[in-house]
Amino acid sequence: MDVQEQIATAKAQELLLEDKTNQVSELKKQIDLKNDEIENLKEQLSEEKSKGFFAKIFGRK
């Protein structure tokens, strides 16, 4: 019975590890998406900073 308990425990730990691995992968994907979003926003900010005063007021590019 002891060996069966150890096997069951090992399988449970393996499932938990797989779940945690999947969570980490999903979080990495989310981080990558947020980093891309940040880069896009930085580019937009840079474009806005480079516009002239009247272009900013009248909404020209």
Side-chain angles (χ1 to χ4, degrees), residues 5-60:
E5 289 177 7
Q6 289 177 347
I7 290 172
T9 301
K11 286 183 180 180
Q13 288 177 344
E14 182 181 7
L15 290 174
L16 287 172
L17 182 59
E18 286 177 9
D19 185 51
K20 293 295 180 186
T21 302
N22 290 338
Q23 288 178 5
V24 167
S25 295
E26 185 61 33
L27 288 172
K28 284 182 179 181
K29 288 178 188 175
Q30 290 177 6
I31 288 170
D32 288 341
L33 289 173
K34 291 295 179 184
N35 284 338
D36 289 343
E37 185 179 345
I38 289 169
E39 288 302 316
N40 287 335
L41 290 171
K42 283 181 180 179
E43 288 175 14
Q44 289 176 10
L45 180 61
S46 178
E47 289 173 10
E48 284 297 317
K49 284 182 176 181
S50 67
K51 288 182 181 179
F53 176 74
F54 289 106
K56 290 179 186 177
I57 292 176
F58 297 111
R60 296 186 205 154

